[in-house]
Amino acid sequence: MIPASFEYVRPASLDEAIRALADGGDDAKVIAGGQSLMPLLRLRLAYPELLVDIGAIDELTGIADAGDALLIGARTTHYQVVHDPLVREHCGLLAEATATVADPAVRHRGTLGGSLAHGDPAGDLPAVILALDGVLVVRGPGGQREVAAGDFFVDYLTTALEPGEILTGVRVPKLGQGWGYRYEKFHRTAQAWATVGVAALARRSNGQVAEARIGLTNMGAVPVRATAAESAVAGADASAAAIAAAAAVADEGTQPPADLHGAPDYRRHLARVLTGRALAAAAGV
Ligand SMILES: Cc1cc2nc3c(=O)[nH]c(=O)nc-3n(C[C@H](O)[C@H](O)[C@H](O)COP(=O)(O)OP(=O)(O)OC[C@H]3O[C@@H](n4cnc5c(N)ncnc54)[C@H](O)[C@@H]3O)c2cc1C
């Protein structure tokens, strides 16, 4: 289908983009890589009257070392994230998971900020940023504010972004010594969305799993942490038995959707199995 007609602007600065969004009101929308928005426009599931293209705003692109964290610009593409040496060194889970997003063509255009702002619980990166304790940096007419990943994803395709606000970047704490990670994704066909995904981080110390963080993809209307599994494994010996005990409660508190790719019970099963695999790899068991 052909999208409904819309006005299009491509501002060169963030301030200009924020002004254009404010002028457009409820009928204006940001477009970044267009990999999620364009299909919605073509299906006429979205019909904004103004598109504000942030593709020419250089300050939204790139990855900077900010001491104990990396600051990743919202318009940084998936391709850039996957190949960036800082991301690989300090936040390897993000590089590993981003490499599973779609195919090379989509990864060259799609952006980290777009994946997060879209708020799709089936997207791989929201659960990863949640597990990494990322903080989202947002700018709008009222100035700049920071939102913890745990507060950013509000409901299905709904985030804490207020009308007129632009996600400018994500602050991702560096993983220090002793941390291991793994993103396990189950999908029916290669280069497809996750039926379920599990982003696991584990810090080993003296033969124990001192701490674990687990984000679940597509196990509810928003990405969620597998808190019961995190608590079960924290402080336990880094053993197959401890991992299995934690994996057995990975789906606790989740509300997985039902769709053509799987029923809720099937997704619960997948979450347990994938958590076992991801945690074992992250903890080096
Ligand atoms: C064939 C195909 C397969 C895919 N497979 C996967 C997959 O396996 N896993 C996965 O996670 N994703 C997948 N995707 C989605 C892909 O990752 C998109 O790149 C991503 O979801 C959106 O990024 P974008 O820059 O293209 O955002 P856009 O499509 O430009 O925007 C998406 C939404 O976010 C808003 N937005 C974008 N940037 C900002 C910003 N900086 N501030 C405020 N709002 C903003 C837009 O207004 C829009 O509502 C797939 C897409 C396609 C086409």
Side-chain angles (χ1 to χ4, degrees):
M1 211 190 284
I2 297 172
S5 65
F6 52 79
E7 297 292 319
Y8 172 85
V9 293
R10 189 175 162 91
S13 75
L14 186 53
D15 287 341
E16 235 181 288
I18 290 168
R19 266 198 305 275
L21 268 186
D23 291 347
D26 286 348
D27 296 320
K29 220 164 170 40
V30 171
I31 184 162
Q35 298 304 297
S36 290
L37 187 54
M38 284 308 292
L40 293 181
L41 296 180
R42 290 178 64 107
L43 291 167
R44 299 207 179 188
L45 292 171
Y47 28 85
E49 289 181 5
L50 171 68
L51 283 187
V52 179
D53 185 345
I54 58 172
I57 306 176
D58 290 341
E59 63 192 288
L60 296 181
T61 304
I63 295 154
D65 192 328
D68 55 2
L70 297 184
L71 186 57
I72 306 178
R75 199 170 70 77
T76 308
T77 64
H78 301 315
Y79 177 88
Q80 289 170 314
V81 167
V82 170
H83 293 92
D84 187 83
L86 282 174
V87 176
R88 284 171 174 252
E89 182 181 350
H90 299 294
C91 307
L93 176 66
L94 181 60
E96 182 174 288
T98 305
T100 75
V101 170
D103 51 50
V106 172
R107 290 199 292 274
H108 271 276
R109 292 207 64 86
T111 65
L112 175 61
S115 288
L116 301 175
H118 191 48
D120 186 344
D124 295 291
L125 305 180
V128 170
I129 293 297
L130 189 64
L132 285 165
D133 278 345
V135 173
L136 292 94
V137 185
V138 168
R139 184 109 67 92
Q144 179 164 305
R145 63 190 183 104
E146 301 199 346
V147 186
D151 297 324
F152 186 75
F153 304 103
V154 173
D155 203 346
Y156 183 72
L157 299 186
T158 308
T159 69
L161 281 172
E162 299 285 350
E165 283 187 329
I166 293 179
L167 176 62
T168 61
V170 190
R171 195 185 311 284
V172 187
K174 290 179 183 172
L175 294 171
Q177 285 288 320
W179 282 96
Y181 58 83
R182 176 60 64 89
Y183 187 64
E184 286 282 335
K185 173 173 177 175
F186 185 88
H187 43 185
R188 282 174 57 247
T189 55
Q191 305 184 335
W193 299 87
T195 304
V196 172
V198 176
L201 291 159
R203 182 168 61 81
R204 265 184 80 141
S205 175
N206 299 323
Q208 291 189 322
V209 180
E211 195 182 341
R213 292 192 238 133
I214 303 164
L216 302 177
T217 298
N218 222 357
M219 287 296 288
V222 292
V224 288
R225 291 271 289 263
T227 49
E230 291 176 354
S231 305
V233 79
D237 287 340
S239 65
I243 300 290
V249 293
D251 60 317
E252 225 178 84
T254 62
Q255 292 183 307
D259 59 27
L260 286 177
H261 303 298
D265 279 352
Y266 177 59
R267 285 198 157 91
R268 288 179 181 282
H269 169 75
L270 282 177
R272 294 191 294 267
V273 171
L274 298 179
T275 297
R277 290 180 194 163
L279 255 188
V285 172

